[in-house]
Amino acid sequence: MWGREIDGRALKFHLAGINNQNFIMADEETGSWWQQVSGEALHGPLKGRRLADVYHEELTFGVWRREHPEGRVLRPDATNDKWKQFSEDWEAKTALAPVVTPADARDALAPRDVVIGVKANGAAKAYPLAVVERQGLIVDRLGDTHLLVALGDDRKSVRVFESSIDGRPLEFYARPGASPFQMIDAETKTTWDFTGRATAGALAGRELKKLPALKDYWFDWKLYNPQTSVYALGQR
């Protein structure tokens, strides 16, 4: 998700095409073309400029509604169903298309395996969604950043947090059978919910810092992060 202002000027965008199964957006003010995945202008007067990153999450509506009971929902334009036609059978159709990133025989992942991509302090790492679903809660380290990858009790929503409080790394484990999702840190026995907020215990009221995460195909994540590492089940 990107902010649409450049130098204080709000731009209007429309779909211009697809590149390696990423949207190419054109702004109506300058005609510049922008890459969906990077927010960078690839062509036109604003070439080389980047849109500001806006923190976002991919959650199921059930989780979002539980956390934001007073939240509002954007209603699709009932007079224009072109978006429905465009997205119909999208996954099945794109699965038949070739990918730009060459497959590497040494890769542990297939090109269309879904990963949760995380970047911190210049380092990048891919967490295969299948491993996240199997493990539920992953405690890891990316460079100097201690982090955890949490799977919601809906088994679909994923969040990534920095797992340090006041510079002190904490070890976490998921509370078995808890619904909604809960986790506990081993150091203080504080209970934390899926928003990263401590709900009971010595650290009650504190919040873990959320880290941006991108749910993406492996081939696409690898293309834009060629030095990425890949998390393996049980790795620390």
Tab-separated table of all heavy atoms in Angstrom, residues 130-189:
chain	number	residue	atom	x	y	z
A	130	ALA	N	3.460	-22.236	4.143
A	130	ALA	CA	3.194	-23.601	4.593
A	130	ALA	C	3.900	-23.898	5.916
A	130	ALA	O	3.358	-24.593	6.784
A	130	ALA	CB	3.634	-24.600	3.529
A	131	VAL	N	5.112	-23.350	6.100
A	131	VAL	CA	5.852	-23.554	7.346
A	131	VAL	C	5.223	-22.732	8.472
A	131	VAL	O	5.095	-23.207	9.607
A	131	VAL	CB	7.334	-23.172	7.155
A	131	VAL	CG1	8.085	-23.256	8.481
A	131	VAL	CG2	7.992	-24.073	6.123
A	132	VAL	N	4.802	-21.517	8.166
A	132	VAL	CA	4.122	-20.685	9.167
A	132	VAL	C	2.852	-21.384	9.645
A	132	VAL	O	2.558	-21.436	10.851
A	132	VAL	CB	3.780	-19.298	8.591
A	132	VAL	CG1	2.985	-18.476	9.606
A	132	VAL	CG2	5.053	-18.553	8.196
A	133	GLU	N	2.095	-21.955	8.722
A	133	GLU	CA	0.850	-22.659	9.084
A	133	GLU	C	1.149	-23.887	9.930
A	133	GLU	O	0.380	-24.223	10.829
A	133	GLU	CB	0.105	-23.052	7.810
A	133	GLU	CG	-0.458	-21.856	7.048
A	133	GLU	CD	-1.046	-22.234	5.707
A	133	GLU	OE1	-0.724	-23.330	5.190
A	133	GLU	OE2	-1.832	-21.437	5.163
A	134	ARG	N	2.243	-24.560	9.652
A	134	ARG	CA	2.596	-25.770	10.389
A	134	ARG	C	3.115	-25.442	11.777
A	134	ARG	O	2.818	-26.113	12.755
A	134	ARG	CB	3.659	-26.542	9.594
A	134	ARG	CG	3.803	-28.005	9.988
A	134	ARG	CD	4.828	-28.694	9.092
A	134	ARG	NE	4.614	-28.336	7.683
A	134	ARG	CZ	5.563	-28.333	6.769
A	134	ARG	NH1	6.807	-28.654	7.094
A	134	ARG	NH2	5.294	-28.011	5.519
A	135	GLN	N	3.911	-24.374	11.868
A	135	GLN	CA	4.570	-24.049	13.134
A	135	GLN	C	3.721	-23.131	14.014
A	135	GLN	O	3.822	-23.184	15.233
A	135	GLN	CB	5.931	-23.413	12.845
A	135	GLN	CG	6.907	-23.465	13.997
A	135	GLN	CD	8.347	-23.285	13.541
A	135	GLN	OE1	8.707	-23.691	12.441
A	135	GLN	NE2	9.169	-22.675	14.376
A	136	GLY	N	2.903	-22.279	13.393
A	136	GLY	CA	2.000	-21.422	14.164
A	136	GLY	C	2.641	-20.161	14.689
A	136	GLY	O	2.129	-19.064	14.501
A	137	LEU	N	3.760	-20.304	15.364
A	137	LEU	CA	4.490	-19.154	15.910
A	137	LEU	C	5.974	-19.393	15.681
A	137	LEU	O	6.521	-20.416	16.106
A	137	LEU	CB	4.201	-18.982	17.397
A	137	LEU	CG	4.830	-17.760	18.075
A	137	LEU	CD1	4.218	-16.479	17.532
A	137	LEU	CD2	4.643	-17.818	19.586
A	138	ILE	N	6.620	-18.484	14.993
A	138	ILE	CA	8.040	-18.609	14.686
A	138	ILE	C	8.798	-17.502	15.404
A	138	ILE	O	8.492	-16.321	15.239
A	138	ILE	CB	8.293	-18.496	13.171
A	138	ILE	CG1	7.659	-19.687	12.436
A	138	ILE	CG2	9.780	-18.418	12.865
A	138	ILE	CD1	7.724	-19.575	10.927
A	139	VAL	N	9.768	-17.874	16.206
A	139	VAL	CA	10.654	-16.919	16.869
A	139	VAL	C	11.978	-16.977	16.127
A	139	VAL	O	12.580	-18.044	15.987
A	139	VAL	CB	10.838	-17.261	18.355
A	139	VAL	CG1	11.781	-16.263	19.022
A	139	VAL	CG2	9.487	-17.291	19.066
A	140	ASP	N	12.461	-15.842	15.639
A	140	ASP	CA	13.612	-15.849	14.755
A	140	ASP	C	14.420	-14.569	14.951
A	140	ASP	O	14.059	-13.701	15.745
A	140	ASP	CB	13.135	-15.979	13.300
A	140	ASP	CG	14.228	-16.409	12.342
A	140	ASP	OD1	15.244	-16.991	12.797
A	140	ASP	OD2	14.088	-16.175	11.128
A	141	ARG	N	15.490	-14.473	14.183
A	141	ARG	CA	16.325	-13.284	14.201
A	141	ARG	C	16.734	-12.971	12.771
A	141	ARG	O	17.168	-13.855	12.032
A	141	ARG	CB	17.564	-13.513	15.066
A	141	ARG	CG	18.477	-12.301	15.192
A	141	ARG	CD	19.552	-12.553	16.216
A	141	ARG	NE	20.489	-11.434	16.311
A	141	ARG	CZ	21.445	-11.347	17.229
A	141	ARG	NH1	21.574	-12.313	18.135
A	141	ARG	NH2	22.261	-10.303	17.247
A	142	LEU	N	16.573	-11.724	12.374
A	142	LEU	CA	16.953	-11.262	11.039
A	142	LEU	C	17.973	-10.148	11.214
A	142	LEU	O	17.615	-9.032	11.603
A	142	LEU	CB	15.728	-10.775	10.271
A	142	LEU	CG	15.947	-10.281	8.840
A	142	LEU	CD1	16.668	-11.328	7.997
A	142	LEU	CD2	14.617	-9.911	8.202
A	143	GLY	N	19.235	-10.466	10.973
A	143	GLY	CA	20.283	-9.505	11.282
A	143	GLY	C	20.302	-9.232	12.770
A	143	GLY	O	20.368	-10.155	13.583
A	144	ASP	N	20.195	-7.968	13.152
A	144	ASP	CA	20.173	-7.602	14.571
A	144	ASP	C	18.761	-7.520	15.128
A	144	ASP	O	18.575	-7.160	16.293
A	144	ASP	CB	20.860	-6.244	14.759
A	144	ASP	CG	22.353	-6.299	14.432
A	144	ASP	OD1	22.951	-7.372	14.616
A	144	ASP	OD2	22.894	-5.266	13.991
A	145	THR	N	17.771	-7.837	14.310
A	145	THR	CA	16.377	-7.709	14.736
A	145	THR	C	15.824	-9.041	15.201
A	145	THR	O	15.797	-10.017	14.449
A	145	THR	CB	15.501	-7.168	13.585
A	145	THR	OG1	16.016	-5.904	13.151
A	145	THR	CG2	14.064	-7.007	14.033
A	146	HIS	N	15.384	-9.084	16.458
A	146	HIS	CA	14.691	-10.259	16.980
A	146	HIS	C	13.210	-10.113	16.622
A	146	HIS	O	12.607	-9.071	16.872
A	146	HIS	CB	14.859	-10.352	18.492
A	146	HIS	CG	16.280	-10.581	18.919
A	146	HIS	ND1	16.766	-11.840	19.187
A	146	HIS	CD2	17.316	-9.721	19.091
A	146	HIS	CE1	18.048	-11.750	19.529
A	146	HIS	NE2	18.408	-10.468	19.479
A	147	LEU	N	12.647	-11.154	16.038
A	147	LEU	CA	11.267	-11.034	15.572
A	147	LEU	C	10.492	-12.324	15.794
A	147	LEU	O	11.071	-13.375	16.101
A	147	LEU	CB	11.238	-10.626	14.094
A	147	LEU	CG	11.909	-11.537	13.060
A	147	LEU	CD1	11.019	-12.707	12.661
A	147	LEU	CD2	12.279	-10.747	11.811
A	148	LEU	N	9.194	-12.206	15.644
A	148	LEU	CA	8.351	-13.394	15.663
A	148	LEU	C	7.290	-13.253	14.586
A	148	LEU	O	6.814	-12.159	14.284
A	148	LEU	CB	7.726	-13.630	17.040
A	148	LEU	CG	6.846	-12.569	17.670
A	148	LEU	CD1	5.387	-12.792	17.271
A	148	LEU	CD2	6.968	-12.610	19.183
A	149	VAL	N	6.934	-14.385	13.988
A	149	VAL	CA	5.901	-14.473	12.962
A	149	VAL	C	4.747	-15.268	13.561
A	149	VAL	O	4.933	-16.411	13.976
A	149	VAL	CB	6.433	-15.173	11.698
A	149	VAL	CG1	5.365	-15.190	10.610
A	149	VAL	CG2	7.701	-14.478	11.185
A	150	ALA	N	3.580	-14.646	13.636
A	150	ALA	CA	2.433	-15.253	14.318
A	150	ALA	C	1.298	-15.512	13.344
A	150	ALA	O	0.944	-14.651	12.540
A	150	ALA	CB	1.949	-14.346	15.452
A	151	LEU	N	0.720	-16.699	13.442
A	151	LEU	CA	-0.450	-17.086	12.660
A	151	LEU	C	-1.690	-16.959	13.533
A	151	LEU	O	-1.744	-17.523	14.627
A	151	LEU	CB	-0.300	-18.525	12.169
A	151	LEU	CG	-1.435	-19.099	11.329
A	151	LEU	CD1	-1.480	-18.435	9.957
A	151	LEU	CD2	-1.265	-20.615	11.173
A	152	GLY	N	-2.689	-16.207	13.071
A	152	GLY	CA	-3.910	-16.018	13.844
A	152	GLY	C	-4.714	-17.295	14.003
A	152	GLY	O	-4.480	-18.288	13.306
A	153	ASP	N	-5.672	-17.271	14.911
A	153	ASP	CA	-6.479	-18.471	15.139
A	153	ASP	C	-7.394	-18.780	13.971
A	153	ASP	O	-7.980	-19.864	13.903
A	153	ASP	CB	-7.296	-18.334	16.431
A	153	ASP	CG	-8.116	-17.064	16.469
A	153	ASP	OD1	-7.560	-16.005	16.806
A	153	ASP	OD2	-9.305	-17.125	16.151
A	154	ASP	N	-7.519	-17.854	13.004
A	154	ASP	CA	-8.273	-18.142	11.780
A	154	ASP	C	-7.455	-18.972	10.802
A	154	ASP	O	-7.965	-19.391	9.759
A	154	ASP	CB	-8.733	-16.846	11.108
A	154	ASP	CG	-7.579	-15.941	10.690
A	154	ASP	OD1	-6.399	-16.281	10.978
A	154	ASP	OD2	-7.840	-14.903	10.069
A	155	ARG	N	-6.161	-19.189	11.122
A	155	ARG	CA	-5.239	-19.992	10.319
A	155	ARG	C	-4.944	-19.351	8.971
A	155	ARG	O	-4.436	-19.997	8.060
A	155	ARG	CB	-5.758	-21.416	10.101
A	155	ARG	CG	-6.127	-22.178	11.363
A	155	ARG	CD	-4.953	-22.384	12.264
A	155	ARG	NE	-3.906	-23.207	11.632
A	155	ARG	CZ	-2.713	-23.436	12.178
A	155	ARG	NH1	-2.394	-22.866	13.329
A	155	ARG	NH2	-1.832	-24.193	11.560
A	156	LYS	N	-5.230	-18.054	8.831
A	156	LYS	CA	-4.986	-17.354	7.574
A	156	LYS	C	-4.237	-16.037	7.768
A	156	LYS	O	-3.377	-15.688	6.966
A	156	LYS	CB	-6.311	-17.093	6.850
A	156	LYS	CG	-7.025	-18.352	6.376
A	156	LYS	CD	-8.316	-17.998	5.639
A	156	LYS	CE	-9.031	-19.257	5.163
A	156	LYS	NZ	-10.308	-18.922	4.462
A	157	SER	N	-4.591	-15.307	8.796
A	157	SER	CA	-3.980	-13.996	9.042
A	157	SER	C	-2.593	-14.172	9.656
A	157	SER	O	-2.408	-14.998	10.551
A	157	SER	CB	-4.859	-13.161	9.966
A	157	SER	OG	-6.149	-12.993	9.412
A	158	VAL	N	-1.632	-13.391	9.175
A	158	VAL	CA	-0.252	-13.474	9.666
A	158	VAL	C	0.232	-12.073	10.027
A	158	VAL	O	0.010	-11.114	9.290
A	158	VAL	CB	0.686	-14.075	8.602
A	158	VAL	CG1	2.124	-14.115	9.113
A	158	VAL	CG2	0.229	-15.478	8.203
A	159	ARG	N	0.896	-11.967	11.172
A	159	ARG	CA	1.537	-10.720	11.579
A	159	ARG	C	2.967	-10.998	11.995
A	159	ARG	O	3.296	-12.085	12.476
A	159	ARG	CB	0.783	-10.070	12.738
A	159	ARG	CG	-0.457	-9.275	12.323
A	159	ARG	CD	-1.108	-8.612	13.506
A	159	ARG	NE	-2.145	-7.670	13.077
A	159	ARG	CZ	-3.344	-7.577	13.665
A	159	ARG	NH1	-3.644	-8.332	14.706
A	159	ARG	NH2	-4.230	-6.696	13.230
A	160	VAL	N	3.815	-9.973	11.820
A	160	VAL	CA	5.216	-10.067	12.212
A	160	VAL	C	5.504	-8.956	13.214
A	160	VAL	O	5.109	-7.803	13.005
A	160	VAL	CB	6.147	-9.946	10.991
A	160	VAL	CG1	7.610	-10.060	11.416
A	160	VAL	CG2	5.806	-11.010	9.952
A	161	PHE	N	6.177	-9.299	14.303
A	161	PHE	CA	6.475	-8.343	15.367
A	161	PHE	C	7.964	-8.362	15.689
A	161	PHE	O	8.627	-9.394	15.571
A	161	PHE	CB	5.720	-8.690	16.656
A	161	PHE	CG	4.231	-8.767	16.532
A	161	PHE	CD1	3.608	-9.983	16.270
A	161	PHE	CD2	3.449	-7.634	16.694
A	161	PHE	CE1	2.221	-10.067	16.177
A	161	PHE	CE2	2.069	-7.703	16.596
A	161	PHE	CZ	1.456	-8.920	16.338
A	162	GLU	N	8.461	-7.227	16.139
A	162	GLU	CA	9.774	-7.199	16.769
A	162	GLU	C	9.590	-7.724	18.185
A	162	GLU	O	8.748	-7.218	18.937
A	162	GLU	CB	10.309	-5.771	16.779
A	162	GLU	CG	11.760	-5.670	17.194
A	162	GLU	CD	12.333	-4.273	17.006
A	162	GLU	OE1	12.034	-3.650	15.970
A	162	GLU	OE2	13.059	-3.817	17.911
A	163	SER	N	10.371	-8.727	18.556
A	163	SER	CA	10.116	-9.430	19.823
A	163	SER	C	10.974	-8.924	20.973
A	163	SER	O	11.298	-9.679	21.895
A	163	SER	CB	10.329	-10.938	19.641
A	163	SER	OG	11.634	-11.218	19.174
A	164	SER	N	11.333	-7.648	20.932
A	164	SER	CA	12.115	-7.042	22.011
A	164	SER	C	11.305	-5.950	22.694
A	164	SER	O	10.539	-5.237	22.045
A	164	SER	CB	13.415	-6.445	21.471
A	164	SER	OG	14.229	-7.426	20.883
A	165	ILE	N	11.493	-5.832	23.984
A	165	ILE	CA	10.902	-4.750	24.772
A	165	ILE	C	12.037	-4.045	25.499
A	165	ILE	O	12.817	-4.681	26.221
A	165	ILE	CB	9.871	-5.281	25.785
A	165	ILE	CG1	8.630	-5.801	25.073
A	165	ILE	CG2	9.490	-4.192	26.783
A	165	ILE	CD1	7.758	-4.733	24.432
A	166	ASP	N	12.162	-2.736	25.269
A	166	ASP	CA	13.229	-1.939	25.881
A	166	ASP	C	14.604	-2.529	25.582
A	166	ASP	O	15.504	-2.554	26.447
A	166	ASP	CB	13.017	-1.833	27.398
A	166	ASP	CG	11.708	-1.147	27.749
A	166	ASP	OD1	11.269	-0.278	26.963
A	166	ASP	OD2	11.121	-1.475	28.805
A	167	GLY	N	14.761	-3.046	24.347
A	167	GLY	CA	16.039	-3.610	23.932
A	167	GLY	C	16.301	-5.012	24.420
A	167	GLY	O	17.354	-5.589	24.126
A	168	ARG	N	15.350	-5.610	25.130
A	168	ARG	CA	15.534	-6.951	25.677
A	168	ARG	C	14.746	-7.958	24.844
A	168	ARG	O	13.512	-7.899	24.797
A	168	ARG	CB	15.045	-6.991	27.124
A	168	ARG	CG	15.074	-8.363	27.782
A	168	ARG	CD	14.298	-8.328	29.076
A	168	ARG	NE	14.368	-9.592	29.799
A	168	ARG	CZ	13.610	-9.890	30.854
A	168	ARG	NH1	12.752	-9.008	31.330
A	168	ARG	NH2	13.732	-11.057	31.449
A	169	PRO	N	15.420	-8.885	24.164
A	169	PRO	CA	14.690	-9.901	23.377
A	169	PRO	C	13.923	-10.839	24.291
A	169	PRO	O	14.416	-11.253	25.351
A	169	PRO	CB	15.810	-10.649	22.635
A	169	PRO	CG	17.017	-9.773	22.739
A	169	PRO	CD	16.878	-9.026	24.024
A	170	LEU	N	12.698	-11.156	23.889
A	170	LEU	CA	11.860	-12.080	24.643
A	170	LEU	C	11.619	-13.347	23.831
A	170	LEU	O	11.537	-13.304	22.607
A	170	LEU	CB	10.518	-11.437	24.985
A	170	LEU	CG	10.540	-10.146	25.802
A	170	LEU	CD1	9.123	-9.618	25.991
A	170	LEU	CD2	11.223	-10.359	27.146
A	171	GLU	N	11.502	-14.466	24.523
A	171	GLU	CA	11.154	-15.730	23.889
A	171	GLU	C	9.649	-15.945	24.049
A	171	GLU	O	9.102	-15.764	25.143
A	171	GLU	CB	11.902	-16.883	24.545
A	171	GLU	CG	13.398	-16.878	24.278
A	171	GLU	CD	13.726	-17.337	22.868
A	171	GLU	OE1	12.973	-18.166	22.321
A	171	GLU	OE2	14.736	-16.865	22.321
A	172	PHE	N	8.991	-16.338	22.968
A	172	PHE	CA	7.537	-16.498	22.992
A	172	PHE	C	7.116	-17.916	22.637
A	172	PHE	O	7.806	-18.607	21.880
A	172	PHE	CB	6.885	-15.536	21.990
A	172	PHE	CG	6.892	-14.085	22.416
A	172	PHE	CD1	8.003	-13.283	22.187
A	172	PHE	CD2	5.792	-13.536	23.054
A	172	PHE	CE1	8.009	-11.947	22.573
A	172	PHE	CE2	5.789	-12.202	23.447
A	172	PHE	CZ	6.906	-11.406	23.213
A	173	TYR	N	5.990	-18.312	23.178
A	173	TYR	CA	5.339	-19.554	22.754
A	173	TYR	C	3.838	-19.317	22.727
A	173	TYR	O	3.296	-18.484	23.475
A	173	TYR	CB	5.698	-20.735	23.666
A	173	TYR	CG	5.317	-20.578	25.124
A	173	TYR	CD1	4.083	-21.018	25.601
A	173	TYR	CD2	6.210	-19.993	26.026
A	173	TYR	CE1	3.745	-20.894	26.937
A	173	TYR	CE2	5.879	-19.857	27.364
A	173	TYR	CZ	4.641	-20.311	27.815
A	173	TYR	OH	4.299	-20.172	29.138
A	174	ALA	N	3.165	-20.006	21.827
A	174	ALA	CA	1.714	-19.849	21.696
A	174	ALA	C	1.011	-20.625	22.802
A	174	ALA	O	1.449	-21.725	23.181
A	174	ALA	CB	1.257	-20.356	20.334
A	175	ARG	N	-0.069	-20.045	23.332
A	175	ARG	CA	-0.859	-20.742	24.344
A	175	ARG	C	-1.735	-21.772	23.628
A	175	ARG	O	-2.600	-21.403	22.834
A	175	ARG	CB	-1.712	-19.761	25.128
A	175	ARG	CG	-2.701	-20.419	26.089
A	175	ARG	CD	-3.304	-19.415	27.041
A	175	ARG	NE	-2.366	-19.081	28.105
A	175	ARG	CZ	-2.564	-18.092	28.978
A	175	ARG	NH1	-3.630	-17.330	28.894
A	175	ARG	NH2	-1.677	-17.858	29.935
A	176	PRO	N	-1.533	-23.056	23.901
A	176	PRO	CA	-2.272	-24.100	23.179
A	176	PRO	C	-3.777	-23.971	23.369
A	176	PRO	O	-4.270	-23.782	24.491
A	176	PRO	CB	-1.751	-25.403	23.795
A	176	PRO	CG	-0.428	-25.045	24.392
A	176	PRO	CD	-0.571	-23.624	24.854
A	177	GLY	N	-4.508	-24.069	22.260
A	177	GLY	CA	-5.967	-24.084	22.303
A	177	GLY	C	-6.620	-22.747	22.569
A	177	GLY	O	-7.845	-22.677	22.668
A	178	ALA	N	-5.831	-21.686	22.702
A	178	ALA	CA	-6.419	-20.372	23.010
A	178	ALA	C	-7.153	-19.818	21.793
A	178	ALA	O	-6.664	-19.866	20.679
A	178	ALA	CB	-5.340	-19.393	23.444
A	179	SER	N	-8.362	-19.336	22.027
A	179	SER	CA	-9.137	-18.688	20.960
A	179	SER	C	-9.910	-17.526	21.579
A	179	SER	O	-10.733	-17.735	22.474
A	179	SER	CB	-10.113	-19.665	20.307
A	179	SER	OG	-10.806	-19.050	19.246
A	180	PRO	N	-9.618	-16.286	21.187
A	180	PRO	CA	-8.663	-15.857	20.173
A	180	PRO	C	-7.214	-16.193	20.549
A	180	PRO	O	-6.919	-16.565	21.673
A	180	PRO	CB	-8.868	-14.342	20.112
A	180	PRO	CG	-10.195	-14.079	20.717
A	180	PRO	CD	-10.349	-15.136	21.762
A	181	PHE	N	-6.343	-16.035	19.567
A	181	PHE	CA	-4.920	-16.334	19.699
A	181	PHE	C	-4.305	-15.617	20.898
A	181	PHE	O	-4.583	-14.458	21.158
A	181	PHE	CB	-4.212	-15.896	18.407
A	181	PHE	CG	-2.708	-15.940	18.472
A	181	PHE	CD1	-2.017	-17.072	18.084
A	181	PHE	CD2	-1.979	-14.835	18.913
A	181	PHE	CE1	-0.633	-17.112	18.126
A	181	PHE	CE2	-0.594	-14.865	18.959
A	181	PHE	CZ	0.071	-16.008	18.571
A	182	GLN	N	-3.449	-16.337	21.634
A	182	GLN	CA	-2.670	-15.745	22.714
A	182	GLN	C	-1.266	-16.333	22.688
A	182	GLN	O	-1.063	-17.486	22.304
A	182	GLN	CB	-3.296	-16.038	24.083
A	182	GLN	CG	-4.604	-15.325	24.344
A	182	GLN	CD	-5.143	-15.633	25.732
A	182	GLN	OE1	-4.770	-16.637	26.351
A	182	GLN	NE2	-6.003	-14.762	26.229
A	183	MET	N	-0.298	-15.529	23.104
A	183	MET	CA	1.061	-16.036	23.268
A	183	MET	C	1.616	-15.519	24.582
A	183	MET	O	1.112	-14.529	25.140
A	183	MET	CB	1.950	-15.625	22.096
A	183	MET	CG	2.000	-14.143	21.794
A	183	MET	SD	2.902	-13.813	20.257
A	183	MET	CE	2.625	-12.035	20.109
A	184	ILE	N	2.641	-16.195	25.084
A	184	ILE	CA	3.215	-15.888	26.388
A	184	ILE	C	4.721	-15.762	26.221
A	184	ILE	O	5.343	-16.547	25.499
A	184	ILE	CB	2.886	-16.991	27.409
A	184	ILE	CG1	1.360	-17.140	27.560
A	184	ILE	CG2	3.524	-16.693	28.756
A	184	ILE	CD1	0.944	-18.344	28.363
A	185	ASP	N	5.311	-14.758	26.864
A	185	ASP	CA	6.775	-14.671	26.823
A	185	ASP	C	7.345	-15.434	28.014
A	185	ASP	O	6.789	-15.424	29.115
A	185	ASP	CB	7.252	-13.221	26.798
A	185	ASP	CG	7.091	-12.486	28.109
A	185	ASP	OD1	7.889	-12.726	29.035
A	185	ASP	OD2	6.156	-11.657	28.209
A	186	ALA	N	8.447	-16.132	27.755
A	186	ALA	CA	9.034	-17.010	28.770
A	186	ALA	C	9.671	-16.230	29.909
A	186	ALA	O	9.761	-16.735	31.031
A	186	ALA	CB	10.081	-17.913	28.104
A	187	GLU	N	10.114	-15.004	29.647
A	187	GLU	CA	10.848	-14.243	30.664
A	187	GLU	C	9.938	-13.698	31.762
A	187	GLU	O	10.302	-13.722	32.949
A	187	GLU	CB	11.614	-13.088	30.010
A	187	GLU	CG	12.841	-13.509	29.215
A	187	GLU	CD	12.488	-14.169	27.883
A	187	GLU	OE1	11.318	-14.065	27.451
A	187	GLU	OE2	13.372	-14.781	27.276
A	188	THR	N	8.773	-13.163	31.414
A	188	THR	CA	7.916	-12.515	32.407
A	188	THR	C	6.563	-13.199	32.566
A	188	THR	O	5.782	-12.817	33.434
A	188	THR	CB	7.653	-11.044	32.031
A	188	THR	OG1	6.763	-10.987	30.911
A	188	THR	CG2	8.953	-10.326	31.690
A	189	LYS	N	6.291	-14.211	31.713
A	189	LYS	CA	5.003	-14.942	31.724
A	189	LYS	C	3.823	-14.018	31.405
A	189	LYS	O	2.683	-14.286	31.773
A	189	LYS	CB	4.770	-15.633	33.074
A	189	LYS	CG	5.868	-16.622	33.453
A	189	LYS	CD	5.995	-17.723	32.432
A	189	LYS	CE	6.982	-18.798	32.854
A	189	LYS	NZ	8.385	-18.342	32.899
